Amino acid sequence: MRFVQPLRNALGLATKDIQYSGRPPLPHLVASTIDAARNPNHVREVDHHLQTLGILKVTLQAPDNQSRYLEHLVLSLHKSHGHGPPITHSSTRGWFWDVRPNLAGMKLQSQEQAARSETMNEFPWHTDCSYEASPPRFFALHVLQPDQCGGGTLSVVDVANLLRLLSPSALQGLTLPEFLIKVPPEFRKGTTRSIVGCVLGTNDIGEPIRLRFREDILTPLTARAESSLTELKHALLQENSLSTLHLTPKDLPKGSVILMDNTRWLHGRSPVRDPARHLRRVRWDARPFEK
């Protein structure tokens, strides 16, 4: 796959591709200042990579403990490129969610009140907010403090590659609203405890292109749905051995930002070994999944 040539400007922006053996390159932009997030050329290239491959790494060359770059970037994408607005996590946390071990939350894990991202446990393959009727299309993670003990590797897999491994009957089965998706207790709003819907969304001409998935909250309601889900999980095991990107703390050092299309890439995390590991997440562009 080819990517556009670097767009140079007075802010010192640069782009390059990070090559992983046997896989398409991971687009990589370098932003020398926080204000790059307001530069039309930079924002245009970010949008280009998100619309094409659906994944991008940005290296910030200026200190940004408050994640102002991400704040300005999401607003710029909304204003200039039609992205939906950022999603508010809560009345106290605003747009951003600090992804780091929460010792108090970890103690509550047996009571199912702690978000898995706030523990040091492995987080298996998933898409964010798969239990929402309108999950965010995009999310980004800003690395404030990488795991310095060798843990916390972020792994990602391209949904398009995964779907090529599925039979036509499985693809059709996953597009049908025959799955119960439970809302994790820590994310319940009001009285909603679950939704019923499909796992695989289609575009305007019926092609399956979007996935929502988190195995521990997903229950097939029919034999057809169960068979389709079993095939999807088997394909994921195959894909995991073939073309998964494993982004270690060396690949994502302090100051890195990774942006992804939440419906086109599955992601997961190895166990965290460093209690000081700290990432900051923002999600945006919520859309009804089945439309």
Side-chain angles (χ1 to χ4, degrees):
M1 181 176 293
R2 293 182 178 180
F3 300 99
V4 297
Q5 292 299 313
L7 294 171
R8 306 285 183 177
N9 54 64
L11 292 175
L13 306 180
T15 183
K16 58 183 178 179
D17 296 336
I18 302 173
Q19 184 67 55
Y20 292 84
S21 177
R23 307 176 181 96
L26 174 64
H28 179 206
L29 298 178
V30 177
S32 59
T33 72
I34 294 172
D35 282 341
R38 290 171 166 156
N39 180 278
N41 287 340
H42 181 73
V43 178
R44 185 181 305 114
E45 190 148 7
V46 170
D47 178 67
H48 165 79
H49 290 305
L50 289 177
Q51 299 296 341
T52 52
L53 190 59
I55 190 169
L56 168 68
K57 173 185 172 180
V58 176
T59 295
L60 303 179
Q61 293 185 330
D64 187 20
N65 291 334
Q66 300 303 314
S67 298
R68 297 302 183 198
Y69 168 84
L70 262 184
E71 176 185 345
H72 300 326
L73 180 64
V74 173
L75 291 175
S76 294
L77 289 167
H78 173 54
K79 179 180 178 180
S80 302
H81 295 277
H83 289 226
I87 298 170
T88 300
H89 283 285
S90 71
S91 59
T92 56
R93 301 196 187 204
W95 300 345
F96 290 115
W97 184 284
D98 287 299
V99 181
R100 55 185 171 186
N102 181 331
L103 297 180
M106 290 164 63
K107 293 178 181 178
L108 294 172
Q109 189 72 350
S110 61
Q111 302 175 34
E112 296 185 343
Q113 295 179 10
R116 286 198 295 184
S117 61
E118 294 184 320
T119 74
M120 297 178 71
N121 301 334
E122 177 185 15
F123 201 159
W125 292 118
H126 65 285
T127 57
D128 280 5
C129 303
S130 57
Y131 45 84
E132 297 275 4
S134 297
R137 182 178 175 191
F138 300 108
F139 75 92
L141 293 166
H142 178 198
V143 181
L144 298 171
Q145 177 61 55
D147 190 313
Q148 299 188 72
C149 301
T153 292
L154 175 68
S155 297
V156 298
V157 64
D158 190 343
V159 168
N161 290 339
L162 183 65
L163 297 185
R164 293 188 185 101
L165 301 175
L166 300 182
S167 66
S169 60
L171 289 171
Q172 181 181 19
L174 294 171
T175 64
L176 299 175
E178 298 178 356
F179 298 87
L180 178 73
I181 307 172
K182 297 179 182 178
V183 181
E186 67 272 17
F187 294 118
R188 288 175 182 168
K189 301 174 183 177
T191 59
T192 302
R193 296 292 181 268
S194 64
I195 62 172
V196 174
C198 65
V199 170
L200 191 58
T202 59
N203 60 14
D204 293 338
I205 59 175
E207 296 173 334
I209 58 170
R210 296 175 292 121
L211 186 71
R212 64 178 170 195
F213 180 81
R214 178 172 158 175
E215 184 177 356
D216 66 314
I217 62 173
L218 190 60
T219 302
L221 299 176
T222 66
R224 173 173 51 194
E226 184 174 8
S227 174
S228 299
L229 182 60
T230 297
E231 189 170 327
L232 172 63
K233 291 189 289 186
H234 179 70
L236 188 54
L237 290 176
Q238 291 180 275
E239 180 62 24
N240 187 28
S241 66
L242 294 175
S243 58
T244 300
L245 297 180
H246 298 291
L247 302 172
T248 68
K250 183 178 179 180
D251 299 311
L252 297 174
K254 183 175 181 178
S256 301
V257 175
I258 186 82
L259 305 97
M260 276 189 275
D261 186 321
N262 185 47
T263 65
R264 293 168 58 194
W265 289 84
L266 281 167
H267 62 286
R269 184 193 73 192
S270 69
V272 174
R273 297 178 182 175
D274 183 355
R277 180 183 186 266
H278 185 190
L279 282 61
R280 187 168 288 138
R281 181 180 61 212
V282 63
R283 300 167 174 146
W284 69 97
D285 201 11
R287 304 183 181 192
F289 185 79
E290 298 188 46
K291 294 183 180 179

